[in-house]
Amino acid sequence: MKKKSLALGLAAGVSAAVLALTGCASGSAPAPTDGPVAAGPAVTVNWSEPENLLIPANTNEVNGGLVLNNLFAGLVYYEADGAWAYDAAESIESDDFQHWTIKVKPGQTFSDGTPVTAESFVKAWQWGASDPELLNQWWFIDAVPFEGGTYDGGEDTLALEVVDDLTFTVDLTRPMADFPLALGYTVFFPLPEAFYADPDAFGASPIGNGPYKLSDEGWVPGTKLGVVPSESYTGPRTPQNSGVDFIVYASEDAQYADLLSDNLDIVQNVPQSALATFQADLGDRAVYQGNAVFQSFTIQPTLPHFAYDEEGTLRRAAISHAINREEITQVIFEGTRTPAEDFTSPVIAGFDPASIEGSDVLEFDPDKAVDLWAQADAISPWSGSFQIAYNADSSHQAWVDATANSIKNVLGIDASGLPYPDFAGLRTEVNDRTIPSAFRTGWQFDFPSQSNILGALYVTGAGSNDADYSNPEFDELFDEGVTSATLEEQVAAFNAAQALLFRDLPAIPLWYGATTAGYSTLVDNVEFGWDSWPILYAVTKAAQ
Amino acid sequence: MTWYIVRRVLQGIPVFLGSTFIIFSMVFAMPGNPILRMFGDRTPSEAQIAALEAKFHLDQDFLTRYFLYLGDIFQGNLGTTYAGQSVNEILLRTFPTTLRLAVLAVLIQLIVGVLAGLVSGLRKGGIFDHATLIVTLLLISVPVFVLAFVAQWFFGIELGWVRPTVGQGAPWQDLILPAIVLAALNMAYVVRLTRGSVIETNQMDFVRMAYGKGLARGRVVPVHILRNSMIPVTTSLAADFGILIVGATVTEGIFNVPGVGNELFKAINRHDMPEIVSIVTILVIVYVFVNLLIDLLYGVLDPRIRYVKK
């Protein structure tokens, strides 16, 4: 036994070096083939049990979302770069961006054989908007301004009208130029008649109209969920593999170990412990790319010295200048975050921080920070300490402490992290406006448009406007942006709106997220989208 | 004897009530509104919060909720998770895996631990004895998660002898590595207990007597020495079985064993309160029951401490 233990330690050291040296080998990709379903084993991807049943109107987290996205086809789908293309829709048109006519492609069916019609969409949307218990109800009210959307719920409240078998119309309360872009989200998927008989049973084994359908085994709770290509799907996302198995893992470390030994094909998130080494471990099979996650901390104006007045604005700018984003992203995150340059995300169309007035407030500039802080002190002397609240049930402590230290060292004030045991506790105080400090905030884009984050976080009275920001000028520019006919016009308006955010700093931008993922030697054509999800239908897997 | 068992089972009732009450109050007294967590960084509307609070009975006071929960339990219904799965089904699915893992771990301890302890006890002061002392010291001092990660990486990834994690259906061969890791710590104690016990028994008069009357070593060691040394060892093994059977959360997580500990770990990560309370409650019951069995086992092994009706 003694011998074994010693050998184990020695061999571990040697093999680590070997692993690093040989990690760069990778096969070249065979060309994807069109037509009939590829033979061979199913592609495996790490997964966690969804938090809710698989019902589009009630699925707002990534695990359930990824499965639904492959089981269903919405009117549009997103390509890797966030551009939208028609999936189940033939056309989505409007003369004024407020009254839309949507035509569904003829001849489509759900995997149970029933046809996909205008009614399949209209009824599903009405159902999703009908009940405040449904987590995605806000999509019909806040995210997209549907005429008739209300949190009180009620049957058939939305102003949707079925014109004929394949055509329906949508009325919005105000123009929204990128309405089609929003329609790729889960909540807008159609539902077959079978759903309404028993939504819960449907949620355990959903029937969709997408590129995949549940395999015969289907959802084996606690173990996996299997899908196979659906022969009834005729859209653009043709599966290039024989199916996908979503394998349940309890820890990121376990799934990474299986990836290294080729027992798992796709890992969507590399564990913290492997961030420094995964690119060496996996070589060409390591995926590292920006994603649509924006991280910040927010300061409510009720916090003493931080109102939206001259003093508060000076202090917010001083704090922003005092944070060394470059160093923190390198040291704490091993370079897997990118310092923020604006209030949106580099992977979302329209990203152009250089042309936004005032974006230099995000630069690390200790002298300027001290100067601004002194100006604020001249208005009203500083007392107390600056704290950033975070939820300790996730790995936030390291960067919060580093950020607080950066502020403390530059401004010479007392600054520290303020841990909350869990996310629910933190959000409760944020929601009640009783939180005694700044607090971490983040946003993962729901659909690839700047309007998603700007509208949800900073428009007066918006649902997630934790900073109680209210600026009529901003609201006006935002309205101008969402009604612009072209991306150029939209970006011009949104950039002008962002300039106001840089001046007032309702939230202090920190950094953008990144997808850190990897795949095994058995699969090829693995690509991750703007939303951090692997594009599963395109993955090919060699027969073993 | 029967009366003793009945009394012990009856004593389990207050233990059960008390533990459910404590777990329930701890989980539900956690600060913050779990509804807000479901929405992530987005703030839900007042109407949505109210509707969901009503759905999960969060709008009722603590005692009402506790008695609602108890009522369900007495009807054999452990509740459903937020994802709509029945907790009964989850336990039926995960418990057998944990049980198999525990049995495997205890078997490894029994075979390897007792053999090593016996040999080093009989050859006290020899090379094997010293080596075992050092190895057991190492095993006792290394935290189980370190052992688990190193074993997984070395045998699973480097050598490729086994799958690094447990595959679908948890086949026996995949459970061997996690079982060895789980067994390691207590195995070290088993080795030392056996060794000490063997040394002690070896000096007993009846052993010298056995040798003296001309019995072969092959008969004295198993029958006279080993059997009489097994009482403390069996107790230790049984106690460890009681610990293993309620789920080795860390090890199951590292090896992705689809067992109770793993499920509990995931439930805690999801903040799935009904599931957490129900699983922990069942684990308390199982633990109480296994401990009762252990106490009865004492009597079986050593007639001198058998429970008799006074």
Side-chain angles (χ1 to χ4, degrees):
Chain A
M1 279 184 80
K2 182 194 179 192
K3 224 177 195 171
K4 190 172 126 194
S5 289
L6 284 179
L8 198 134
L10 236 165
V14 174
S15 315
V18 174
L19 188 73
L21 287 172
T22 56
C24 289
S26 173
S28 61
T33 49
D34 275 325
V37 168
V43 174
T44 52
V45 56
N46 76 283
W47 198 53
S48 290
E49 214 89 44
E51 300 196 358
N52 297 287
L53 288 168
L54 293 171
I55 295 170
N58 204 33
T59 294
N60 68 347
E61 42 77 50
V62 291
N63 295 301
L66 177 61
V67 170
L68 287 175
N69 202 35
N70 285 284
L71 289 178
F72 286 87
L75 293 165
V76 307
Y77 75 102
Y78 304 120
E79 285 166 354
D81 60 0
W84 64 270
Y86 289 124
D87 201 339
E90 189 167 82
S91 68
I92 301 171
E93 285 164 352
S94 172
D95 298 328
D96 57 0
F97 300 134
Q98 189 171 356
H99 306 279
W100 295 82
T101 304
I102 296 170
K103 279 194 163 60
V104 180
K105 273 182 208 158
Q108 302 180 88
T109 55
F110 288 99
S111 58
D112 64 354
T114 53
V116 179
T117 62
E119 183 76 23
S120 316
F121 286 93
V122 169
K123 213 170 158 185
W125 296 5
Q126 295 286 17
W127 191 87
S130 69
D131 191 340
E133 273 185 16
L134 298 171
L135 300 180
N136 282 335
Q137 193 202 24
W138 71 283
W139 273 87
F140 299 101
I141 302 151
D142 282 341
V144 179
F146 279 90
E147 183 79 52
T150 162
Y151 283 115
D152 297 332
E155 293 205 348
D156 298 336
T157 56
L158 303 181
L160 309 173
E161 202 169 329
V162 177
V163 178
D164 62 42
D165 233 18
L166 297 173
T167 315
F168 65 103
T169 61
V170 178
D171 289 345
L172 305 179
T173 56
R174 59 168 170 76
M176 177 174 174
D178 50 15
F179 174 65
L181 194 55
L183 293 178
Y185 190 74
T186 325
V187 72
F188 298 115
F189 292 158
L191 290 170
E193 269 309 310
F195 168 80
Y196 304 97
D198 187 350
D200 282 357
F202 183 92
S205 99
I207 299 159
N209 63 329
Y212 291 94
K213 61 178 183 185
L214 282 188
S215 67
D216 291 340
E217 257 186 308
W219 186 358
V220 188
T223 309
K224 69 163 191 176
L225 185 147
V227 299
V228 292
S230 165
E231 53 286 349
S232 60
Y233 178 73
T234 52
R237 296 186 289 154
T238 313
Q240 303 296 334
N241 45 57
S242 67
V244 179
D245 280 347
F246 299 88
I247 312 281
V248 174
Y249 281 89
S251 79
E252 292 187 346
D253 288 299
Q255 69 204 26
Y256 190 67
D258 267 358
L259 173 70
L260 290 182
S261 57
D262 274 350
N263 281 307
L264 177 66
D265 291 328
I266 299 175
V267 157
Q268 303 178 65
N269 28 9
V270 167
Q272 190 88 24
S273 56
L275 277 185
T277 57
F278 83 102
Q279 281 166 309
D281 287 349
L282 299 171
D284 293 347
R285 298 180 286 113
V287 176
Y288 168 53
Q289 64 185 45
N291 65 11
V293 172
F294 169 83
Q295 298 287 354
S296 56
F297 64 82
T298 297
I299 310 174
Q300 285 175 349
T302 44
L303 200 65
H305 301 287
F306 285 99
Y308 293 124
D309 55 13
E310 195 188 348
E311 186 208 352
T313 308
L314 284 167
R315 291 206 193 277
R316 285 164 190 262
I319 294 230
S320 178
H321 276 304
I323 301 167
N324 193 341
R325 295 173 178 77
E326 192 70 44
E327 192 176 290
I328 296 171
T329 51
Q330 282 307 320
V331 175
I332 307 285
F333 293 110
E334 305 279 356
T336 58
R337 301 281 186 283
T338 330
E341 298 171 75
D342 75 343
F343 284 86
T344 64
S345 162
V347 299
I348 302 297
F351 177 75
D352 183 17
S355 68
I356 305 173
E357 197 188 331
S359 61
D360 57 342
V361 74
L362 300 184
E363 277 164 26
F364 178 57
D365 188 342
D367 296 336
K368 194 158 184 193
V370 171
D371 182 45
L372 292 169
W373 195 261
Q375 288 179 39
D377 275 346
I379 299 169
S380 161
W382 171 256
S383 62
S385 74
F386 183 76
Q387 288 190 301
I388 303 170
Y390 62 96
N391 46 312
D393 58 355
S394 190
S395 48
H396 294 300
Q397 189 192 357
W399 72 257
V400 169
D401 285 352
T403 305
N405 277 337
S406 190
I407 294 168
K408 183 169 153 183
N409 293 340
V410 169
L411 297 179
I413 60 170
D414 187 22
S416 60
L418 177 62
Y420 278 68
D422 67 354
F423 187 67
L426 175 70
R427 289 307 302 183
T428 303
E429 291 204 4
V430 169
N431 206 31
D432 297 344
R433 303 290 188 261
T434 55
I435 194 152
S437 64
F439 50 93
R440 67 157 283 266
T441 41
W443 189 263
Q444 172 148 25
F445 282 69
D446 306 294
F447 61 94
S449 164
Q450 293 187 344
S451 69
N452 178 232
I453 189 170
L454 297 176
L457 295 188
Y458 307 113
V459 167
T460 305
S464 301
N465 189 341
D466 292 332
D468 288 330
Y469 187 65
S470 173
N471 183 342
E473 215 182 328
F474 177 89
D475 296 350
E476 205 172 294
L477 285 166
F478 178 78
D479 279 345
E480 196 185 314
V482 287
T483 55
S484 301
T486 66
L487 183 66
E488 285 73 31
E489 286 170 38
Q490 187 188 65
V491 169
F494 281 168
N495 280 357
Q498 280 203 63
L500 299 171
L501 296 182
F502 277 119
R503 188 192 70 199
D504 299 330
L505 290 173
I508 312 284
L510 292 172
W511 33 78
Y512 308 119
T515 302
T516 47
Y519 51 94
S520 74
T521 59
L522 307 177
V523 289
D524 284 299
N525 301 312
V526 181
E527 200 182 355
F528 281 75
W530 65 277
D531 46 15
S532 322
W533 276 338
I535 297 174
L536 292 172
Y537 63 87
V539 175
T540 53
K541 184 167 183 177
Q544 278 170 311
Chain B
M1 190 71 177
T2 318
W3 172 238
Y4 173 76
I5 296 174
V6 170
R7 211 178 60 201
R8 282 291 301 262
V9 169
L10 286 179
Q11 278 171 357
I13 294 173
V15 171
F16 166 75
L17 283 177
S19 53
T20 50
F21 186 81
I22 291 169
I23 298 156
F24 197 88
S25 49
M26 281 199 301
V27 172
F28 282 84
M30 290 203 313
N33 187 340
I35 304 300
L36 292 174
R37 204 196 69 86
M38 295 181 186
F39 287 86
D41 291 309
R42 183 167 301 108
T43 310
S45 70
E46 293 297 326
Q48 284 194 288
I49 295 176
L52 285 163
E53 280 181 346
K55 180 178 174 186
F56 295 114
H57 303 300
L58 296 176
D59 51 348
Q60 276 145 1
D61 66 277
F62 173 74
L63 280 179
T64 316
R65 274 151 60 192
Y66 178 63
F67 285 118
L68 276 175
Y69 176 77
L70 269 192
D72 278 350
I73 282 201
F74 283 121
Q75 290 163 32
N77 173 14
L78 294 168
T80 50
T81 67
Y82 287 160
Q85 293 174 23
S86 133
V87 177
N88 298 38
E89 274 171 31
I90 288 177
L91 281 166
L92 283 177
R93 187 181 78 220
T94 54
F95 219 87
T97 311
T98 297
L99 191 66
R100 281 160 59 212
L101 187 63
V103 167
L104 206 54
V106 168
L107 276 180
I108 291 170
Q109 291 179 18
L110 187 69
I111 296 167
V112 182
V114 171
L115 266 182
L118 182 66
V119 174
S120 46
L122 290 174
R123 302 194 182 146
K124 188 183 154 202
I127 292 181
F128 186 83
D129 188 23
H130 284 297
T132 337
L133 271 181
I134 294 170
V135 172
T136 50
L137 185 69
L138 272 175
L139 286 179
I140 290 171
S141 23
V142 176
V144 66
F145 70 90
V146 174
L147 202 61
F149 276 125
V150 171
Q152 178 185 56
W153 180 79
F154 187 66
F155 295 106
I157 297 171
E158 275 313 291
L159 296 178
W161 288 355
V162 290
R163 258 191 73 126
T165 66
V166 173
Q168 282 162 40
W172 285 101
Q173 69 266 25
D174 285 4
L175 289 176
I176 291 174
L177 190 62
I180 291 174
V181 168
L182 273 182
L185 174 66
N186 198 59
M187 186 163 70
Y189 290 116
V190 169
V191 169
R192 294 193 160 193
L193 265 175
T194 315
R195 176 183 176 272
S197 198
V198 164
I199 290 171
E200 203 182 310
T201 319
N202 210 2
Q203 291 160 347
M204 293 291 207
D205 289 344
F206 66 85
V207 174
R208 285 200 311 214
M209 159 85 178
Y211 281 124
K213 72 179 180 187
L215 280 183
R217 197 174 160 80
R219 170 127 185 109
V220 177
V221 171
V223 176
H224 294 271
I225 300 181
L226 193 57
R227 176 144 189 242
N228 284 294
S229 311
M230 281 305 279
I231 294 167
V233 177
T234 313
T235 319
S236 163
L237 282 175
D240 198 50
F241 184 70
I243 293 170
L244 290 175
I245 203 165
V246 295
T249 308
V250 174
T251 313
E252 287 191 1
I254 290 170
F255 292 102
N256 210 39
V257 183
V260 175
N262 200 340
E263 191 62 42
L264 184 62
F265 179 70
K266 285 186 286 190
I268 292 172
N269 269 349
R270 282 200 304 267
H271 293 233
D272 205 323
M273 296 192 187
E275 192 182 350
I276 298 171
V277 179
S278 292
I279 291 184
V280 176
T281 304
I282 292 298
L283 295 188
V284 167
I285 295 172
V286 170
Y287 192 74
V288 167
F289 185 69
V290 169
N291 269 297
L292 171 62
L293 286 184
I294 293 170
D295 287 351
L296 295 175
L297 198 64
Y298 278 121
V300 175
L301 281 172
D302 188 347
R304 281 170 297 179
I305 43 175
R306 197 165 279 172
Y307 299 96
V308 280
K309 193 178 168 187
K310 279 173 192 161

